[in-house]
């Protein structure tokens, strides 16, 4: 790659772009000519063009007023526009679904480490110099005459060729500690290595309290992005190796069992996706649950708060815990024979917890129990679509007084349906009457 001549590199970069995107980029390049501003495609998308990897996150940057240019593009293409004045950036949503970010080339100053920077306009070279790693400090010009010209002032191509993650300056991790996690993410994603000085700087930054100063949403974003990678297992192991897991919680138990469980998650996810393609899983949450599976409820609760998980995510993580072990024990026991028993054990769990359950069993390497569990999960997923024909209103019409009996009876009806003991509405009514008669509340019923 390093040896590529500029002309052939230009052809290579532009040929790899899908036609639709190439046409759009040429058009916005021509628009930039008219405005007399220099326009660049920048960062990860250029890196991935060089790596021949697909990535159509279009990040553009303007040497000039980025927001004014974004308004012009939005106008021309009838694209939706969101402007973030403070960061001198704008996001466009084109009618055909394409998204594009447009920024102003800037220098950034960090009033305090770990906080978001303040920005001032600057040249493209300065803009590239404030970025995280050499491989991301690359740009491709879009103006008509220079279309496809690569700007690589800090050795991005060299490091892509050497498969190396390297910071641009010694203060990079201090400026922005999220880069600690980004470094690991890119290292694992591309199978690269952290360059020697970069590992040292990373370890130094990790040994301070910089990461503690990151806001919850920023830390969460990094952790979840890491867990959303194609193969998060190695990335998580690397977090462990670099002693970074303590930033989730300083008493997080990262034991052998936890490692085995994390390593079993991909298998569980693959099985789930094959069996239940319509039931999408929040994969990062499963990894987070696996990671905290041997930590006590207080540790998990603090971790949830630290990561500022949304209520929905927190609920998913929380439904794990000890009940998972109990459910697993019963579900891998031949004695738990009735489908309704499995249903009751699983009914309160999110699908993410079901995957976790499976991962836990995979990690135990007990084939018989695993097969039994898989069969029961398949049956459960079918059974949970079953509904009773009768509702509370029907029970009311039968004369049942208000009270907890409603729930009990409806559950019994559902269990009987699931177990195939009853199949019709008439069966349900008959069973409901029998149950009502037993109930002390309804001795008035004939
Ligand atoms: N960037 C940076 N420091 C950060 C985050 C981002 O310097 N902490 C710069 C990098 O140049 C990066 C670009 O902003 O390439 C865009 O950021 P983002 O979209 O997060 O990164 P990508 O490199 O596109 O990563 P991914 O492939 O995971 O989307």
């Amino acid at each position: 790659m390093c040896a590529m001549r500029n002309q052939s590199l230009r052809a290579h970069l532009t040929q790899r772009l899908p036609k639709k995107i190439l046409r759009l980029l040429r058009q916005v390049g021509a628009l930039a000519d008219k405005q007399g501003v220099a326009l660049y495609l920048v960062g990860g998308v250029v890196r991935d063009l060089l790596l021949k990897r697909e990535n159509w996150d279009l990040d553009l940057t303007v040497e000039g007023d980025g927001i004014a240019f974004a308004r012009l593009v939005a106008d021309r293409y009838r694209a939706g526009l969101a402007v973030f004045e403070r960061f001198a950036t704008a996001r466009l949503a084109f009618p055909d679904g394409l998204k594009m970010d447009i920024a102003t080339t800037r220098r950034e100053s960090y009033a305090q480490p770990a906080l978001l920077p303040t920005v001032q306009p600057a040249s493209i070279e300065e803009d590239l110099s404030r970025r995280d790693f050499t491989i991301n400090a690359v740009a491709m010009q879009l103006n008509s005459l220079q279309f496809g010209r690569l700007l690589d002032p800090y050795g991005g191509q060299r490091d892509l060729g050497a498969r190396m993650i390297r910071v641009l300056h010694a203060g990079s991790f201090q400026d922005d500690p999220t880069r600690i996690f980004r470094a690991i993410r890119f290292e694992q994603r591309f199978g690269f290595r952290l360059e020697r000085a970069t590992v040292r700087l990373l370890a130094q930054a990790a040994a301070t309290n910089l990461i503690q100063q990151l806001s919850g949403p920023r830390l969460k974003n990094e952790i979840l992005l890491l867990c959303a990678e194609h193969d998060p297992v190695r990335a998580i192991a690397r977090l462990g190796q670099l002693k970074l897991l303590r930033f989730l919680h300083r008493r997080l138990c990262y034991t052998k069992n936890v490692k085995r469980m994390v390593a079993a998650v991909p298998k569980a996810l693959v099985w789930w996706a094959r069996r239940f393609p319509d039931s999408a899983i929040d994969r990062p949450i499963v990894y987070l649950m696996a990671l905290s599976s041997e930590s006590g409820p207080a540790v998990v609760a603090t971790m949830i708060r630290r990561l500022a998980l949304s209520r929905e995510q927190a609920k998913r993580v929380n439904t794990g815990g000890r009940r998972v072990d109990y459910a697993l024990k019963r579900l891998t026991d031949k004695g738990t024979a009735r489908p309704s028993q499995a249903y009751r054990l699983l009914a309160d769990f999110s699908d993410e917890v079901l995957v976790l359950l499976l991962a836990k069993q995979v990690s135990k390497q007990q084939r018989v129990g695993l097969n039994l569990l898989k069969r029961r999960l398949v049956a459960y997923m079918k059974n949970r679509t079953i509904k009773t024909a009768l509702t509370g209103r029907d029970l009311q019409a039968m004369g049942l007084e208000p009270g907890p009996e409603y729930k009990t009876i409806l559950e019994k009806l559902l269990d009987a349906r699931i177990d195939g003991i009853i199949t019709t509405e008439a069966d349900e009514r008959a069973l409901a009457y029998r149950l009502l008669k037993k109930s002390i509340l309804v001795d008035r019923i004939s």
Side-chain angles (χ1 to χ4, degrees):
M1 184 174 328
C2 313
M4 218 181 268
R5 304 277 289 276
N6 214 13
Q7 210 47 38
S8 64
L9 178 65
R10 208 183 269 201
H12 162 82
L13 287 178
T14 51
Q15 271 161 16
R16 289 206 59 78
L17 287 163
K19 281 214 168 62
K20 187 173 94 171
I21 293 179
L22 184 61
R23 195 176 332 119
L24 176 66
L25 292 179
R26 282 195 188 281
Q27 287 170 359
V28 290
L31 204 57
D33 294 346
K34 272 203 196 128
Q35 298 304 305
V37 292
L39 181 67
Y40 305 91
L41 192 62
V42 73
V45 59
V46 181
R47 173 201 69 217
D48 288 344
L49 274 172
L50 289 164
L51 283 174
K52 304 190 179 153
R53 288 173 72 101
E54 289 205 355
N55 170 5
W56 315 127
D57 269 350
L58 300 178
D59 278 331
L60 272 62
T61 183
V62 177
E63 242 171 352
D65 186 343
I67 291 181
F69 186 71
R71 288 193 205 283
L72 206 70
V73 176
D75 237 28
R76 170 73 54 99
Y77 292 91
R78 298 179 194 286
L81 178 73
V83 170
F84 311 97
E85 295 280 354
R86 197 188 143 200
F87 300 108
T89 59
R91 165 152 271 221
L92 286 92
F94 288 81
D96 63 358
L98 258 182
K99 302 254 184 325
M100 179 185 278
D101 286 312
I102 300 186
T104 304
T105 51
R106 86 281 289 286
R107 96 172 50 93
E108 290 181 343
S109 44
Y110 292 82
Q112 230 180 298
L115 292 186
L116 292 171
T118 49
V119 305
Q120 287 149 343
S123 69
I124 180 73
E125 282 78 13
E126 267 188 280
D127 183 287
L128 294 176
S129 76
R130 64 160 176 102
R131 289 176 184 261
D132 50 2
F133 310 113
T134 55
I135 60 165
N136 289 338
V138 284
M140 185 182 102
Q141 193 158 1
L142 298 178
N143 297 81
S144 306
L145 285 179
Q146 297 88 353
F147 193 87
R149 178 169 82 99
L150 184 78
L151 273 82
D152 177 20
Y154 305 104
Q157 278 195 93
R158 173 203 62 205
D159 285 342
L160 284 173
R163 306 171 70 76
M164 206 64 109
I165 309 289
R166 185 197 306 265
V167 283
L168 271 74
H169 60 89
S172 187
F173 292 121
Q174 249 112 33
D175 282 351
D176 182 352
T178 63
R179 290 175 175 168
I180 293 173
F181 299 98
R182 290 174 64 84
I184 294 169
R185 186 146 60 85
F186 293 128
E187 182 195 46
Q188 299 306 321
R189 183 194 300 172
F190 301 135
F192 283 13
R193 274 176 309 124
L194 295 177
E195 174 268 336
R196 193 135 38 104
T198 302
V199 188
R200 187 167 35 79
L201 292 167
L202 186 150
Q204 275 167 12
T208 66
N209 66 350
L210 275 169
I211 295 178
Q212 266 108 311
Q213 289 170 27
L214 276 179
S215 70
R218 290 188 78 202
L219 181 60
K220 167 174 89 170
N221 188 42
E222 291 308 322
I223 298 295
L224 294 188
L225 279 176
L226 218 134
C227 290
E229 285 290 316
H230 180 66
D231 178 12
V233 176
R234 278 183 321 173
I236 290 172
R238 192 75 162 119
L239 288 181
Q241 194 185 35
L242 292 165
K243 306 213 172 350
L244 290 165
L245 287 172
R246 70 196 157 94
F247 293 109
L248 296 183
H249 194 291
R250 74 196 144 79
R251 288 206 312 276
L252 192 78
C253 294
Y254 189 50
T255 59
K256 253 196 195 135
N257 277 345
V258 170
K259 286 180 198 170
R260 268 195 220 119
M261 197 152 153
V262 170
V265 169
K267 240 191 193 165
L269 284 169
V270 166
W271 182 84
W272 183 276
R274 212 174 285 148
R275 282 292 171 156
F276 314 117
D278 297 331
S279 164
I281 293 292
D282 188 344
R283 295 169 56 226
I285 290 293
V286 181
Y287 283 103
L288 214 52
M289 285 195 287
L291 250 176
S292 55
S293 56
E294 293 213 334
S295 300
V299 170
V300 176
T302 311
M303 182 188 82
I304 287 172
R305 274 202 304 279
R306 171 63 183 114
L307 290 179
L309 294 188
S310 69
R311 192 182 297 210
E312 195 51 41
Q313 290 168 322
K315 217 170 93 194
R316 283 185 203 141
V317 175
N318 253 338
T319 44
R322 274 189 212 124
R323 289 192 307 133
V324 167
D325 291 325
Y326 176 69
L328 198 58
K329 195 158 163 254
R330 298 271 318 270
L331 290 165
T332 50
D333 177 351
K334 288 208 180 89
T336 314
R338 275 184 286 120
S340 63
Q341 288 176 301
Y343 178 90
R344 292 291 156 208
L345 285 166
L346 296 171
D348 289 340
F349 290 151
S350 64
D351 287 358
E352 284 72 16
V353 174
L354 300 184
V355 175
L356 185 81
L357 214 67
L358 192 63
K360 191 151 199 174
Q361 190 60 31
V362 170
S363 74
K364 288 184 178 169
Q365 299 186 319
Q366 293 165 355
R367 190 172 267 267
V368 179
L370 182 61
N371 289 339
L372 202 53
L373 176 67
K374 284 180 176 170
R375 279 206 301 280
R376 284 173 172 167
L377 281 174
V378 170
Y380 166 72
M381 291 298 276
K382 204 164 99 230
N383 290 337
R384 77 176 182 180
T385 61
I386 296 176
K387 300 267 176 290
T388 54
L390 299 191
T391 64
R393 218 173 264 253
D394 295 305
L395 299 184
Q396 195 182 15
M398 290 175 179
L400 182 62
E401 302 279 347
E405 295 277 312
Y406 274 82
K407 187 163 175 271
T408 317
I409 293 175
L410 286 172
E411 278 181 3
K412 287 203 164 134
L413 293 182
L414 184 60
D415 286 355
R417 275 259 187 190
I418 288 173
D419 292 335
I421 296 167
I422 56 173
T423 52
T424 64
E425 184 176 333
D427 292 344
E428 268 188 41
R429 270 185 198 283
L431 178 57
Y433 269 117
R434 278 208 305 281
L435 292 167
L436 285 168
K437 272 188 183 163
K438 270 198 217 158
S439 159
I440 48 159
L441 292 167
V442 286
D443 40 18
R444 285 179 282 109
I445 290 178
S446 56

